[in-house]
Amino acid sequence: MSQRKVKVKVFRFDPLVEREPRYVTYEVPIVEGMSVLDVLDYIYENIDSSIAYYAHAACRHGICGGCKVVVNGKLCLACQTPVSGDMTIEPPSSFKVIRDIVSMMSEDAGGRV
Amino acid sequence: MKLLGEIDEVMTTDVLVVGGGGAGLRAAIGAAEKGASTLLICKGLTAKSGASLLAGADLTLDGRSLHELGFPGEPRDTKDKFFNDIVTQGFYLNNQKLVELYVEDAPKRVKELLEWGIKVNFSEQRAIFTSGSSILSALLKRAKEVGVGTMDDVMLIDLLTKHGRVSGVLALNIRTGDLIVFRSKSVVLATGGWHKAYSPNAGSRELSGDGIAAAYRAGAEVANMEFVTFCCNVLLWPPKWQGIIFPYLLHLLVGGRLVNSRGEDFLNKYDPTIVKFGTSMEWNKCFVSIATALEVLAGRGSPHGGVYYEPGDVPWEEFESRVTKYYPSWRYKGIDFSELRGMLKEGKPIEVGPAAEYFEGGIVINEKCETTIPGLYAAGECAVSLFGANRIAAATTEMLVEGAIAGESAAEYAKRVVMPEIDEKQVERLREKVLRPLEREDGTRPVELMKKVQKMAHEKLGPVRKHDNMEEFVRFIEVVKEKELPNLCVSSKTRRYNKEWIEALELENIVQVLELSAKSALMRTESRGVHYRLDHPYTDNDNWLREIVMRRVGDKIDVITRPVVVTKLPPTRGVVPYMEMMKRMMEAHSEIGGHH
């Protein structure tokens, strides 16, 4: 299994303290059979633990929909999207951003963010 | 409300349900139908989280009742036969009062689910097969109809108690970081298992034993914590598939072969009766997981700690046609497994092994799903399992049976009592503790500790156990409790969706349940059900037809053992070699077929 690296550009934004979003680029070593969620896990575990992505209750089976993100402009589930090369990861634009690429997926916390 | 100065929000309800999987939703329905104002909080997305979502999902009941519901079922089956099978499969460690409830109520719960619109894929003599998401959608729809309020991404921090009874919970809104006090007359815990204590595991990510740990801290009894079911044949590699049970289903439903690193069909060396039951029924979780772990321990494992799954002697066309009968286009839940199809067809190695999947231990409940704390109820996987030492029948039915009872009981209780007062000092103590990882400038990183704990748990408290390993694990956990948990520090200080902070809070719970589990496992000097010890490879029915029950007293664990509750089926006696006992329990099964 060849160890190659990809550049992952991630949308970062804390609407409470920042005026506008920024992008941070991480270099992530890739093994065969990694999903976008695995890449985000890698960043969280090894490079930058401050990154927010919906993972605390991810089902990893493509059903809960919690890990919905936009990768290279396309809406997808992070857990079911294979990594092919360099990428940009952003929150789904139609939802209100909570922090970084986590956005409001349901109105069920009393509609409050 | 100015009641609790530093708390962001206070909400009041008659019944609070913690958990948005099947047990929690069914409990909320039961409470709301009885007229209680009912609020449900879910750590993830309601009806889209918990082990229920990932369940196969089968619902099990006796074949005659299934026949009466309009399925073929098996008219010759009886509730008594089903009862006997569950108790023998559980190596007699079941609370037989709860098994009676299960057998009696399962048909009612299945009937209502059919009315509420679940989709049935196929059926067997004792089971119907649907999907976890179908069950959960039907339950959520019903819950909304009867007026249940739900809140997503809200994590239980701790139970609040006053004068020895429950007064609500403190919880965290994960999205905003707000702390919320829920003031309620009764609380139903339906928080599931503690999969996250292990790596690999077959659960969704939020299952960290929050409810069991909170109940223990509040002084409730927990029992049978040494029993952990490891699903066999779970994918170990590549990373995106780790923890997914698809080959387990293929091996059970379609067939295939398991080989070790020498290419040996290692199941061949076991008794043919054990292999027959242990691969064609859900007995495989117990038997194959132990057999696989023994191969790995003997140095005949795969690089990621498992063995290899292959189609075996079945011709490819036939293998594929059987697979696609159950999983059209090789699609399993939301996963496209056409890549795995290619690997299987080309004979590429597929690494599979045991992964933590179901937890028999939990909060002690009686037939009303009452815990030992007034006002506190528990249902589903977080409660001590009615399946005893080994589960073959469906946990998805257990969650419905117990959920319904817990919800109704909690509502009845709420009618009898006044709204309790909140102990403000307790809330303040908890608030300070919860915020501490955000305030520390330096310390242990949650992700590092989490990985270390998960790895140790799998190695030392996995499917094959022995004294020295468990003792080492207990010492490890004690050091973690003393030195690392009080020192957790997160890199981002924001309270807004802070994964590291959530993991710091989860670690408290994970370490707590692992401590209870390891100490129980050390104490049980025998092998029974899914608890298999190399140093005690026999089932000791003379001394160990007893539950190990633990309760917090101050900083100490108060441990007692007590005989299992027997109503109808007297347990067998004598000391029996473990594999021989397993074979006897398999052979005790009635003539009714299927995977349960």
Side-chain angles (χ1 to χ4, degrees), chain B residues 95-157:
Chain B
N95 176 336
Q96 293 190 13
K97 280 188 186 167
L98 295 182
V99 182
E100 283 186 35
L101 269 182
Y102 177 94
V103 169
E104 203 48 49
D105 285 3
K108 297 179 207 161
R109 299 288 81 84
V110 172
K111 184 167 185 277
E112 71 193 11
L113 267 190
L114 291 166
E115 288 162 5
W116 295 341
I118 55 159
K119 182 174 167 281
V120 178
N121 299 331
F122 59 99
S123 72
E124 281 180 352
Q125 292 186 341
R126 264 183 191 167
I128 58 173
F129 288 76
T130 169
S131 68
S133 46
S134 179
I135 296 174
L136 292 174
S137 315
L139 289 173
L140 180 62
K141 187 165 154 271
R142 176 69 187 164
K144 294 286 178 191
E145 278 168 13
V146 295
V148 172
T150 61
M151 287 176 75
D152 290 348
D153 294 325
V154 175
M155 176 185 179
L156 168 70
I157 298 294

Side-chain angles (χ1 to χ4, degrees), chain A residues 1 12-17 31-35 37-38 40-41 43-67 77 79-82 96-100 102-113, chain B residues 9 11 43-46 48-49 53-54 133 144 150-154 173-176 178 180 196 201-207 237-245 331-336 339 445-447 451 491-492 494 496-503 506:
Chain A
M1 252 166 243
R12 304 291 309 264
F13 183 40
D14 185 344
L16 275 195
V17 291
V31 294
E32 196 70 36
M34 267 173 103
S35 67
L37 185 61
D38 294 324
L40 291 165
D41 284 341
I43 296 170
Y44 167 76
E45 287 169 9
N46 300 287
I47 308 174
D48 184 354
S49 298
S50 73
I51 186 173
Y53 60 109
Y54 195 93
H56 79 283
C59 79
R60 297 179 64 247
H61 285 67
I63 10 178
C64 77
C67 66
L77 294 176
C79 72
Q80 297 306 315
T81 305
K96 194 170 169 188
V97 172
I98 295 171
R99 192 163 75 84
D100 298 345
V102 179
S103 47
M104 198 68 179
M105 301 303 289
S106 74
E107 299 295 322
D108 265 359
R112 301 174 310 268
V113 188
Chain B
E9 194 165 5
M11 297 183 82
K43 192 174 175 184
L45 304 171
T46 304
K48 286 184 176 177
S49 64
L53 184 69
L54 305 185
S133 46
K144 294 286 178 191
T150 61
M151 287 176 75
D152 290 348
D153 294 325
V154 175
N173 179 337
I174 286 172
R175 297 174 185 175
T176 59
D178 286 350
I180 311 173
K196 197 169 180 174
N201 72 65
S204 50
R205 288 194 170 170
E206 70 278 19
L207 299 164
W237 196 256
K240 64 180 174 189
W241 290 341
Q242 198 192 74
I244 291 166
I245 69 169
R331 201 167 175 82
Y332 169 65
K333 300 195 183 288
I335 307 171
D336 175 2
E339 191 185 335
R445 293 184 57 220
V447 62
K451 294 220 152 221
S491 48
S492 166
T494 179
R496 226 171 151 80
Y497 200 95
N498 188 333
K499 177 168 153 68
E500 228 184 348
W501 185 31
I502 301 162
E503 292 205 324
E506 287 174 337

Side-chain angles (χ1 to χ4, degrees), chain B residues 370-382:
Chain B
E370 291 167 332
T371 70
T372 52
I373 298 179
L376 182 65
Y377 300 79
E381 202 168 345
C382 72

Side-chain angles (χ1 to χ4, degrees), chain B residues 60-116:
Chain B
T60 51
L61 65 169
D62 71 278
R64 183 186 291 176
S65 298
L66 188 55
H67 183 73
E68 285 163 4
L69 286 174
F71 294 87
E74 174 48 71
R76 291 173 305 144
D77 198 8
T78 64
K79 286 185 170 146
D80 279 344
K81 284 183 192 172
F82 190 35
F83 174 93
N84 286 1
D85 288 350
I86 290 173
V87 174
T88 47
Q89 288 161 347
F91 288 65
Y92 296 101
L93 205 71
N94 322 56
N95 176 336
Q96 293 190 13
K97 280 188 186 167
L98 295 182
V99 182
E100 283 186 35
L101 269 182
Y102 177 94
V103 169
E104 203 48 49
D105 285 3
K108 297 179 207 161
R109 299 288 81 84
V110 172
K111 184 167 185 277
E112 71 193 11
L113 267 190
L114 291 166
E115 288 162 5
W116 295 341

Side-chain angles (χ1 to χ4, degrees), chain A residues 66-84:
Chain A
C67 66
K68 211 172 275 174
V69 287
V70 169
V71 175
N72 295 337
K74 215 175 134 193
L75 186 67
C76 62
L77 294 176
C79 72
Q80 297 306 315
T81 305
V83 177
S84 44

Side-chain angles (χ1 to χ4, degrees), chain A residues 24-40:
Chain A
V24 180
T25 302
Y26 303 95
E27 272 208 352
V28 178
I30 296 298
V31 294
E32 196 70 36
M34 267 173 103
S35 67
V36 170
L37 185 61
D38 294 324
V39 164
L40 291 165

